[in-house]
Amino acid sequence: NVDKNKLVEYFRAQIREDPDVASAVAAIRSLLEFLKRDQSETILGLRENMTKAIQRLEETDSSVAVSSGGELFLRFISLTSLEHPDLSQCKNVMIERGELFLKKISLSRGKVGKLCHTFIKDGAKILTHSSSRVVLKVLENAAADNKRFTVYVTESQPDSAGKLMAQKLHNLNIPVTVVLDAAVGYIMEKVDLVIVGAEGVVESGGVINKIGTYQMAVCSKAHNKPFYVVAESFKFVRLYPLNQQDVPDRFKYKADILKTVKDLNQEHPMIDYTPPSLITLLFTDLGVLTPSAVSDELIKLYL
Amino acid sequence: MMLISAAMTLVVGHELQSAEPKEEKQRLRKEKKQHKKNKKDDRGPPEKEKEKEKASVPAPSKPATQSPAHKAAPVPVNASASESPVAAEKPAKSKAELRAERRARQDSERASKQGKKEGGQQSTSSKPKATPNELQPVVKRLPDHVQVDDPVALKKLAKKLERQQKSGQGCSLNITGVKVPLRSDYGYKVSLFSHLHQYSRKNPPTQQISIPVTVIHPSIVRLGLQYSQGIIAGSNARSVALLHAFKQVIQDYSTPPNEELSRDLVNKLSPYISFLSQCRPLSASMGNAIKYIKKEISNIPSQCKEEEAKRILQECIDSYINEKIILASEAISKYAIEKISDGDVILVYGCSSLVNHILCEAFEKQRKFRVIVVDSRPRLEGREALRRLVKKGIRCTYVLISALSYILPEVSKVFLGAHALLANGYVMSRVGTSQIALVAKAYNVPVLVCCETYKFCERVQTDSFVSNELDDPDDLIVTRNGKTHLENWQTVKSLGLLNLVYDVTPPDFVDLVITDLGMIPCTSVPVVLRVKNVDQ
C-alpha cells in the first residue's frame, strides 16, 4: 500500500508539472513507472498488482479516460507472447511495449488536431462546450493555418471551466465570446458548427462528456448544424449506456465526492451521455469515424 | 421437323435477345426436353443409366470446348448449363448430336439470312450475342421457395425432388418408388405473398409417402411431421431437434461399397433436407447448422475408418450444440443481467427461449423487476412464456399486442428475441416484433435484442415481403359465443386470410444487440460476420 500512495503521488506530480497533459496519459505514465518498480514474482501477480493500481488511480481521478486508458494499457502490454521462461525477460518485454504505447498516445492529440482543422472553413463560427485540450489543439492548428473564425464557449457551470478556455483562446488571438449554458438554444442559429471534446467514447458510438453536452447536441440536431466530437483513441471504453441513468455512478461524480457523500441523489452529476444518433462525425487518431464505425474499431482494439 | 423449328427459334431468339431472353430460353429448353424424350423412347432405361455415368464426366467439358465462331449455339447451352445445375446429369450424347445438327442448320440459315439483311444489323445482333455469353455465368437464381408463382420453377423443383429419390437408390432400376413429396399449396393466397408457399396442417407431407419409407430416415420423417404440425417451434428448438435427428442418421448410416463416407453421406443428406424444407421452410439457424455439418463431413479424411468417422461426427454435433446454443445463452445472460437494474419494468413479446432464460437467471441473482408479457393471435405463444416466468416466481402482467401503447409508458426496457440477424443489421423475428420496436422508439424506451451468433446470416432484406413464411390460414378461424364467422372463407372469392410468421425490424429501432461476443450496436453485425469468417 505504500506503493499505491507513491503511485498516486507520482500521478499528481505529473499533472502538476504538465497541466497540458491528458489525465489518461499521466495515469499511464504512472502505471509504467509502477510496472518498473514492481517486485512480484509471477506474471499473474504482476497483473493483479496492475489491476489494483488502476483501481487506485480511478479512485483519485474518476474520469472515464483514466479507466479506459488504464484498461487499454493493460491489454496492450499483456497481449503479446509472454512465453519467456524468465520473469524479468517478460517484464522487459512488457515495459518495452508500455513505452511504445505511451509514445503512441502522446502523439495522438497532435494527429487529431491535424485531421480536424481542415473541417473549419474561413469565416466559420464555432460553438464549443467547457474546456477541452483537444479542441484547443484543433483551434490552434486552424489558426496557424491562417483561417479566420470566431468561437463561442459556454460558461459550463458548476466549475466555470469555460472561462478558462476563453482565456486560453484569447492568448492565441482568436476572437472568443463566453455565453451562458442556458443560451445554447439562442446562439445555435448563429453558429456554423459545433465541436466538443469527450471524456469517453462508448461502444455505441455515443460520447460521455461534461454535463450540458447532450443539450447542445439536441439543439444542434434541431437546427441541422453538424456536431463534431474530437477524442483520442485511448478514450474508447467498453461501456454501453442505454440512457442517462445507465451511466455508472463512479463516472458521474468527482472522486472525492464519491468517497465522502452518503446520498448521491443530492449531488449533481458532472457528466452526461450523448447518444450516437445526434453525432455527425468523430475525429480520432484512428481517422475520421462515423458513430457506427466506433464499434468496429472497438472490436478491433479489444477482441 | 422438330430440329428445324428449334434452330429457327434459336436464330429468331437471338435477334430478340435483348427484348425477351427469359421466355426464349424457356421455350428452347422445352424443345430440348421434348427432343430428349423422343430419344428416350427409342432406347431403354438401362442404357440411359450408363449414359448418365458417362455424361457426368464429358458434360462439364462440353461448354468449354465450344468454338467461339459458333456463338449462337453456346449461348442457350451455357444458359441451361449455368442456370440448371441438373443439366450435367442429362445424357450428353443426345446433347452433342443435337448441337451438331443445330450448328449445321444455323450455318445454313445464317448464310441465307445474311443475303437478305444488311451487314450492320448482323454485327449489332452479334454484339448482344457476345455480351450475354460473358454475363451468363454471373446471373443469379432466386431460391426455389420464393418462386411459387412461377410454374417453370415449380416443375424444376418437382423434378429435382424426383431425382433426389433416384440418386438415393443408387443403381437400382426401381423408378416407381417413394418420392420426396412435393406439397401442394392450400387456399387462396393474398397477391402480395403469392410467391410464397402456403400449406395446410390438415395435409401433412407424409400423406404421399408409403410405409415403410425407404429413402427418408424415420427420425427425419418424424422431425418433419413435428415441424409441420407445429409441435416443435422456436428457432433454437428446431435447430437442436435437427441436430439430434442427424446424429441418429449418422449412427444408422453404413457406407455402401466403393463409396467414400465424406462424399456419400453429404449426398444422402440432400433428400432429407429437401423433405424438411417441404414440411416447413428452413430457418436461418438450421441453415447454418446444416452448412457446418456438411463441412465437417467433407473434412473427414478418406483413410478414416467408418466407426471412427461416425464418432468424430457425433462429437462435432455435440460440441456445436454445446458451444453455440447452451454456452452462448449463458454468456448472453451474463451480459444481459448487467443491463437489468432494480425496479425495472421489462416488456417481452411472445416466447423466446433465450429471453426467458435471461429473466430467470436475473431473478435468481436477486434483481428486483417485474415483467409485462405481450401476446398476439393466432399463436398465443406468450402464454407459454407467462407460464414459465410465473413458475419461477417473477411478477408478470399479460396483455395483448393491441394494448401496447397503453402499457408502454410504464415500461423501462424491452427485451426481444430474434429468429435471425441479417447482414444489413435488420432483425428478423416473430411477426409483431417490429411493431413493438416502433412503438417503443416513439416512447423513447430502449429496445434490446438478444441473439446468438449462430443465427447471424449473410442475407440482406429490407422488407418483410420478399422472403417470409405463410402459416396455415385456417388458424385465424376462431369460435366465439358458438359462432364461427370465418368458417366458410374459401367460398367467398374475394376473401383471403393472411397468417404471416416473420417480420423484419430496421436497425434504427434497436438500441442494443446482446450476443455471446458481447454487446454490439445493430449496425455492427457485418463486423461480427467478418470476424467469424476469419476464424473459420
Side-chain angles (χ1 to χ4, degrees):
Chain A
N1 289 336
V2 180
D3 284 336
K4 305 276 167 41
N5 288 339
K6 266 203 237 161
L7 174 73
V8 173
E9 275 305 312
Y10 191 86
F11 175 64
R12 293 224 175 94
Q14 290 279 314
I15 298 201
R16 250 198 320 261
E17 285 164 24
D18 190 2
D20 226 8
V21 76
S23 50
V25 176
I28 289 171
R29 266 200 213 127
S30 334
L31 284 172
L32 195 58
E33 206 45 49
F34 181 80
L35 176 63
K36 284 184 192 153
R37 296 190 202 165
D38 186 57
Q39 304 292 336
S40 44
E41 302 290 310
T42 62
I43 293 192
L44 205 57
L46 188 69
R47 274 189 75 92
E48 262 186 49
N49 280 351
M50 294 296 291
T51 325
K52 280 200 210 126
I54 295 177
Q55 272 173 352
R56 189 72 185 80
L57 279 177
E58 276 176 33
E59 281 170 28
T60 319
D61 181 352
S62 70
S63 62
V64 183
V66 168
S67 158
S68 68
E71 201 186 322
L72 273 171
F73 176 71
L74 198 56
R75 282 199 136 253
F76 194 79
I77 59 173
S78 44
L79 232 64
T80 159
S81 75
L82 294 169
E83 294 304 324
H84 306 277
D86 190 9
L87 179 68
S88 57
Q89 253 188 322
C90 288
K91 244 179 102 173
N92 286 340
V93 169
M94 287 170 92
I95 291 175
E96 219 178 284
R97 285 181 71 81
E99 302 271 1
L100 187 67
F101 187 66
L102 192 59
K103 209 168 39 161
K104 224 170 41 132
I105 61 174
S106 314
L107 300 170
S108 50
R109 201 188 283 169
K111 279 193 215 163
V112 177
K114 256 195 288 217
L115 266 179
C116 185
H117 79 265
T118 49
F119 278 71
I120 299 175
K121 300 199 172 46
D122 219 9
K125 297 200 195 59
I126 304 172
L127 175 61
T128 185
H129 184 64
S130 184
S131 169
S132 164
R133 289 172 284 232
V134 193
V135 176
L136 190 62
K137 188 93 175 105
V138 167
L139 296 176
E140 216 181 290
N141 283 11
D145 214 16
N146 288 330
K147 293 218 178 101
R148 272 172 291 204
F149 54 91
T150 51
V151 181
Y152 296 92
V153 191
T154 54
E155 223 182 15
S156 174
Q157 297 294 354
D159 52 4
S160 290
K163 298 210 176 128
L164 193 65
M165 180 79 162
Q167 186 59 41
K168 289 192 210 164
L169 284 170
H170 191 73
N171 294 343
L172 291 168
N173 289 329
I174 297 174
V176 57
T177 317
V178 177
V179 297
L180 290 175
D181 294 339
V184 168
Y186 169 78
I187 203 89
M188 192 55 77
E189 55 185 40
K190 280 199 220 169
V191 300
D192 298 317
L193 68 154
V194 184
I195 306 183
V196 299
E199 296 211 12
V201 178
V202 294
E203 270 191 76
S204 57
V207 289
I208 294 182
N209 199 18
K210 185 81 183 296
I211 189 112
T213 314
Y214 179 47
Q215 232 154 268
M216 201 180 273
V218 173
C219 254
S220 62
K221 182 88 178 189
H223 284 264
N224 279 325
K225 309 280 179 181
F227 186 84
Y228 298 131
V229 173
V230 286
E232 300 100 314
S233 63
F234 58 78
K235 289 184 178 159
F236 282 20
V237 64
R238 289 221 84 180
L239 268 181
Y240 203 126
L242 296 170
N243 45 27
Q244 300 301 332
Q245 73 180 68
D246 218 13
V247 180
D249 275 344
R250 64 182 198 274
F251 296 134
K252 274 203 237 177
Y253 308 98
K254 276 206 162 11
D256 18 0
I257 295 185
L258 278 172
K259 278 187 265 190
T260 53
V261 166
K262 294 283 166 12
D263 185 10
L264 281 173
N265 280 336
Q266 300 293 332
E267 290 301 315
H268 202 279
M270 295 298 288
I271 56 164
D272 63 18
Y273 164 67
T274 307
S277 48
L278 302 172
I279 301 174
T280 324
L281 284 178
L282 285 117
F283 297 93
T284 69
D285 49 317
L286 302 168
V288 183
L289 306 172
T290 58
S292 25
V294 169
S295 167
D296 209 343
E297 293 296 324
L298 266 170
I299 291 180
K300 274 195 236 160
L301 277 175
Y302 275 100
L303 276 180
Chain B
M1 216 194 94
M2 196 72 63
L3 284 170
I4 296 181
S5 58
M8 279 294 294
T9 51
L10 264 173
V11 181
V12 171
H14 290 304
E15 277 141 39
L16 300 170
Q17 191 95 31
S18 44
E20 324 158 48
K22 193 178 173 190
E23 289 164 28
E24 287 306 318
K25 285 188 206 134
Q26 287 176 357
R27 230 193 302 153
L28 292 171
R29 250 179 265 148
K30 275 196 199 124
E31 310 274 22
K32 261 207 323 195
K33 276 187 203 153
Q34 274 181 315
H35 178 80
K36 244 163 252 145
K37 268 210 188 106
N38 295 342
K39 292 253 167 182
K40 246 196 248 180
D41 294 339
D42 295 341
R43 313 170 190 175
E47 269 194 45
K48 186 176 167 225
E49 294 291 326
K50 268 190 250 157
E51 277 175 305
K52 252 203 216 162
E53 242 105 42
K54 273 195 290 177
S56 47
V57 175
S61 59
K62 282 286 176 201
T65 56
Q66 290 297 332
S67 54
H70 305 284
K71 284 206 185 126
V75 175
V77 173
N78 274 354
S80 54
S82 62
E83 293 211 50
S84 46
V86 296
E89 292 187 39
K90 293 191 182 137
K93 199 166 171 194
S94 49
K95 228 207 243 174
E97 266 192 51
L98 171 63
R99 226 177 279 138
E101 294 183 77
R102 217 189 290 143
R103 233 178 277 157
R105 264 170 231 291
Q106 274 202 331
D107 284 344
S108 52
E109 294 288 334
R110 213 183 285 153
S112 60
K113 286 249 167 184
Q114 207 138 33
K116 295 181 198 170
K117 286 165 41 169
E118 303 159 6
Q121 206 171 356
Q122 192 67 0
S123 58
T124 50
S125 67
S126 61
K127 270 226 187 82
K129 276 184 234 160
T131 40
N133 218 351
E134 297 144 32
L135 288 177
Q136 231 38 282
V138 192
V139 169
K140 274 201 176 151
R141 270 178 79 224
L142 282 174
D144 282 326
H145 64 270
V146 290
Q147 275 190 312
V148 176
D149 51 356
D150 183 6
V152 176
L154 277 183
K155 259 206 280 181
K156 240 195 279 167
L157 176 64
K159 278 233 151 156
K160 179 176 154 209
L161 291 176
E162 246 186 70
R163 205 165 290 108
Q164 283 185 332
Q165 167 262 321
K166 282 191 198 144
S167 63
Q169 291 192 323
C171 302
S172 148
L173 300 179
N174 183 13
I175 300 174
T176 61
V178 174
K179 284 198 258 184
V180 173
L182 181 69
R183 238 173 142 185
S184 50
D185 285 347
Y186 166 75
Y188 169 73
K189 277 193 279 192
V190 176
S191 61
L192 259 179
F193 294 93
S194 57
H195 61 284
L196 300 170
H197 286 291
Q198 183 171 278
Y199 301 129
S200 163
R201 210 160 288 135
K202 293 198 278 274
N203 305 334
T206 44
Q207 268 178 350
Q208 297 122 328
I209 299 185
S210 61
I211 297 166
V213 183
T214 46
V215 181
I216 305 175
H217 193 278
S219 58
I220 300 280
V221 177
R222 181 178 68 174
L223 187 68
L225 267 180
Q226 283 171 328
Y227 284 165
S228 68
Q229 302 300 102
I231 298 172
I232 292 187
S235 189
N236 280 343
R238 283 165 75 190
S239 308
V240 173
L242 175 75
L243 289 169
H244 281 301
F246 275 172
K247 269 175 71 176
Q248 190 63 39
V249 167
I250 293 174
Q251 191 61 38
D252 297 338
Y253 170 77
S254 52
T255 326
N258 303 333
E259 290 283 353
E260 263 198 44
L261 181 138
S262 52
R263 251 172 274 158
D264 187 58
L265 186 52
V266 179
N267 291 341
K268 269 273 187 327
L269 290 180
S270 304
Y272 300 165
I273 294 167
S274 312
F275 172 69
L276 288 175
S277 57
Q278 286 295 306
C279 298
R280 193 175 162 190
L282 296 181
S283 65
S285 50
M286 286 164 73
N288 285 344
I290 290 172
K291 248 190 262 174
Y292 173 77
I293 290 185
K294 284 193 173 166
K295 191 172 72 98
E296 288 299 315
I297 294 177
S298 45
N299 281 348
I300 298 264
S302 44
Q303 55 269 42
C304 212
K305 281 211 187 55
E306 188 174 312
E307 285 308 315
E308 179 68 20
K310 282 196 205 177
R311 196 185 54 83
I312 292 177
L313 288 173
Q314 307 270 21
E315 269 174 30
C316 281
I317 294 182
D318 279 332
S319 74
Y320 187 82
I321 296 179
N322 201 28
E323 270 176 32
K324 306 276 180 176
I325 303 181
I326 300 177
L327 286 180
S329 88
E330 299 286 325
I332 294 178
S333 309
K334 214 165 50 97
Y335 290 120
I337 286 174
E338 287 171 30
K339 286 293 167 204
I340 301 179
S341 25
D342 287 341
D344 261 347
V345 179
I346 299 179
L347 187 130
V348 298
Y349 177 64
C351 182
S352 163
S353 55
L354 188 54
V355 174
N356 291 340
H357 185 254
I358 290 173
L359 293 176
C360 294
E361 287 278 312
F363 190 71
E364 271 171 33
K365 294 235 166 63
Q366 312 298 333
R367 292 275 200 275
K368 308 268 171 299
F369 59 92
R370 67 183 179 92
V371 176
I372 299 181
V373 180
V374 177
D375 202 5
S376 70
R377 278 194 65 226
R379 287 176 172 239
L380 291 172
E381 286 170 330
R383 297 191 176 177
E384 175 62 29
L386 186 67
R387 195 182 61 84
R388 289 189 204 171
L389 295 174
V390 169
K391 204 159 137 193
K392 269 281 176 172
I394 303 175
R395 274 176 57 205
C396 296
T397 312
Y398 178 84
V399 289
L400 289 180
I401 197 167
S402 27
L404 188 61
S405 53
Y406 171 75
I407 201 101
L408 255 172
E410 287 181 29
V411 174
S412 63
K413 291 192 176 72
V414 177
F415 271 79
L416 299 172
H419 169 85
L421 235 62
L422 306 175
N424 56 349
Y426 280 65
V427 179
M428 180 179 231
S429 188
R430 186 67 83 217
V431 65
T433 311
S434 74
Q435 192 177 329
I436 296 206
L438 173 68
V439 183
K441 185 80 182 175
Y443 280 89
N444 251 331
V445 174
V447 174
L448 289 75
V449 170
C450 310
C451 181
E452 300 96 333
T453 46
Y454 86 105
K455 287 185 192 159
F456 284 22
C457 79
E458 305 261 334
R459 228 175 43 198
V460 171
Q461 223 178 301
T462 50
D463 58 58
S464 317
F465 300 109
V466 64
S467 175
N468 207 324
E469 198 186 317
L470 295 176
D471 210 358
D472 194 347
D474 289 337
D475 283 349
L476 295 180
I477 305 175
V478 67
T479 308
R480 272 208 193 93
N481 299 333
K483 280 195 260 188
T484 315
H485 290 281
L486 288 172
E487 208 164 11
N488 305 315
W489 69 276
Q490 305 232 33
T491 54
V492 182
K493 281 298 161 202
S494 51
L495 179 64
L497 294 188
L498 182 64
N499 190 357
L500 275 180
V501 182
Y502 296 115
D503 71 11
V504 155
T505 309
D508 330 324
F509 297 153
V510 177
D511 288 299
L512 173 61
V513 176
I514 310 183
T515 69
D516 36 312
L517 289 176
M519 296 192 267
I520 57 172
C522 224
T523 46
S524 285
V525 168
V527 180
V528 171
L529 279 171
R530 191 172 25 146
V531 167
K532 265 203 325 175
N533 287 341
V534 166
D535 282 343
Q536 283 166 359

